[in-house]
Amino acid sequence: MRIADRSKATGAPVDKFGNQLCALTVHAHPDDEASKGAPTFARYAEMGVRTVLVCCTGGEVGDVNNPALKEPGMPFHGLDSVAERKLLAEMRPKELEKSVEVIGFSKLHMLGYFDSGMADSDSNANPKCFHMADIDEATERLVKIIRLEKPQVIVTYSDDQRGYLHPDHLKVHDVSILAFERAGDASWYKNAGPVWQPLKMYYSVWSRVRLKSVHEAMLRLRGSSPFDETWFDRPNLDHRITTKLNVGEYFWARSGALKAHATQVDLNEPFWFGLSDDELAEVYPYEDWILADHHIGGYSPTASGLETDLFAGVRAE
């Protein structure tokens, strides 16, 4: 399995003040970092950028989505629901570690909350779950990490999640927004370390043009597509995209990180692996982002077209 090679970097790129470039991404569960942004972060890792992953929960109440692991001789064969859940909770941190290695993250921080599960499930009422966490307490935990790691760029989930209303994903957005503002404000969280103001905050987005391109390629090359009309009924956020990164050479990070999460990903599932890395790179070699907020005076992200770098306006000339 290929992993990000930081030795390819010729040096540590810096911002206009001489600080090493750092990007921090916030995710809800183990495996989210694999499906959203893995190629982008692998690319930056190999460029020498410090890359940090914050995972808010341990994914304890997920399901075993890989039927191969329930076959005779495999870890989940014959287990009842209680034993299955216990083993799953033990395996998911190890899977996350493998994914982190593939993508090349410099550091993994666990925010320390329990998986909330889907809306209205019993686990939603668990006082230790992320969904139930006090918003200021959760924000302070994230601010402490931001002040420690000093990222110029923060990546989080969109303010429009109508396509997937998972309580933990909604909470990631809410906490990230507050942390972006409060990390640089000395009046907040005086015991969370010296203040640090991130300069840019991005939302991840699966663009409609990407969805359409992959769907049409699946029909052409495989004869069917997992993307039915419900996918095209989801909100189209393409008009908000400010940033398009060509990461076609790094799709191995996505597929490798997904495979690291063996309990969560079925290798025969066309949703994840319907196209090879090379085919996907030919069809749509980009990851798209929305610049949600920034603290760069006079900066306009689309003044000369879409950004091609999350550190545009930040990177030393």
Side-chain angles (χ1 to χ4, degrees):
M1 180 182 294
R2 183 176 176 182
I3 63 174
D5 183 3
R6 286 187 167 272
S7 68
K8 290 185 176 182
T10 57
V14 297
D15 65 16
K16 295 178 180 180
F17 304 99
N19 303 301
Q20 182 181 6
L21 295 185
C22 177
L24 180 149
T25 184
V26 188
H27 285 287
H29 314 103
D31 77 32
D32 288 326
E33 83 293 337
S35 61
K36 292 175 278 293
T40 291
F41 275 81
R43 175 176 178 258
Y44 279 122
E46 291 199 343
M47 292 171 63
V49 172
R50 181 168 176 79
T51 54
V52 178
L53 168 62
V54 177
C55 189
C56 296
T57 81
E60 297 87 352
V61 300
D63 298 314
V64 178
N65 296 319
N66 185 353
L69 295 184
K70 294 186 177 183
E71 295 293 328
M74 300 303 286
F76 290 91
H77 178 66
L79 298 185
D80 61 26
S81 60
V82 174
E84 181 176 297
R85 183 58 53 83
K86 181 176 183 295
L87 180 57
L88 182 66
E90 293 172 357
M91 292 182 67
R92 295 205 71 181
K94 298 174 184 177
E95 293 175 343
L96 180 58
E97 290 176 4
K98 292 179 182 178
S99 175
V100 164
E101 182 182 14
V102 170
I103 300 169
F105 281 109
S106 308
K107 182 68 176 180
L108 164 66
H109 292 274
M110 300 300 296
L111 206 61
Y113 291 101
F114 198 81
D115 187 350
S116 305
M118 299 302 292
D120 300 322
S121 64
D122 291 342
S123 53
N124 267 192
N126 185 336
K128 295 182 179 180
C129 80
F130 192 38
H131 168 66
M132 293 288 287
D134 177 81
I135 189 71
D136 286 329
E137 178 197 57
T139 301
E140 182 174 11
R141 292 189 189 188
L142 183 54
V143 164
K144 187 174 183 179
I145 295 169
I146 291 171
R147 290 177 178 176
L148 174 67
E149 296 291 354
K150 298 178 171 56
Q152 294 90 353
V153 169
I154 291 180
V155 177
T156 189
Y157 299 161
S158 170
D159 55 353
D160 188 338
Q161 299 187 53
R162 286 173 289 171
Y164 186 60
L165 295 171
H166 192 296
D168 288 333
H169 286 236
L170 298 174
K171 192 84 166 197
V172 164
H173 168 78
D174 295 344
V175 169
S176 298
I177 293 294
L178 292 176
F180 181 73
E181 292 301 331
R182 294 178 181 179
D185 186 340
S187 67
W188 283 100
Y189 314 127
K190 298 182 185 297
N191 296 320
V195 297
W196 174 265
Q197 180 58 64
L199 297 178
K200 301 175 83 175
M201 181 173 64
Y202 286 91
Y203 294 156
S204 59
V205 58
W206 284 7
S207 67
R208 179 62 57 86
V209 65
R210 175 188 182 276
L211 177 62
K212 186 173 184 290
S213 298
V214 173
H215 172 68
E216 291 177 349
M218 290 284 292
L219 293 176
R220 184 176 69 254
L221 298 173
R222 304 291 184 263
S224 63
S225 168
F227 302 105
D228 59 22
E229 64 276 2
T230 62
W231 280 90
F232 292 92
D233 289 338
R234 292 186 174 199
N236 183 349
L237 303 182
D238 286 17
H239 63 287
R240 297 179 60 189
I241 291 172
T242 59
T243 312
K244 186 182 292 288
L245 274 61
N246 190 325
V247 291
E249 296 181 7
Y250 291 88
F251 282 147
W252 52 263
R254 171 188 174 274
S255 59
L258 285 169
K259 290 174 183 177
H261 292 283
T263 62
Q264 301 303 295
V265 178
D266 181 355
L267 298 182
N268 296 313
E269 173 54 61
F271 178 84
W272 298 119
F273 302 111
L275 297 177
S276 69
D277 293 340
D278 289 341
E279 289 170 334
L280 190 58
E282 184 174 343
V283 169
Y284 195 79
Y286 308 104
E287 285 194 313
D288 301 300
W289 307 93
I290 297 170
L291 179 60
D293 198 1
H294 70 83
H295 290 286
I296 307 174
Y299 181 71
S300 176
T302 56
S304 57
L306 295 177
E307 290 181 323
T308 58
D309 180 11
L310 298 184
F311 293 94
V314 174
R315 191 185 294 269
E317 301 296 336

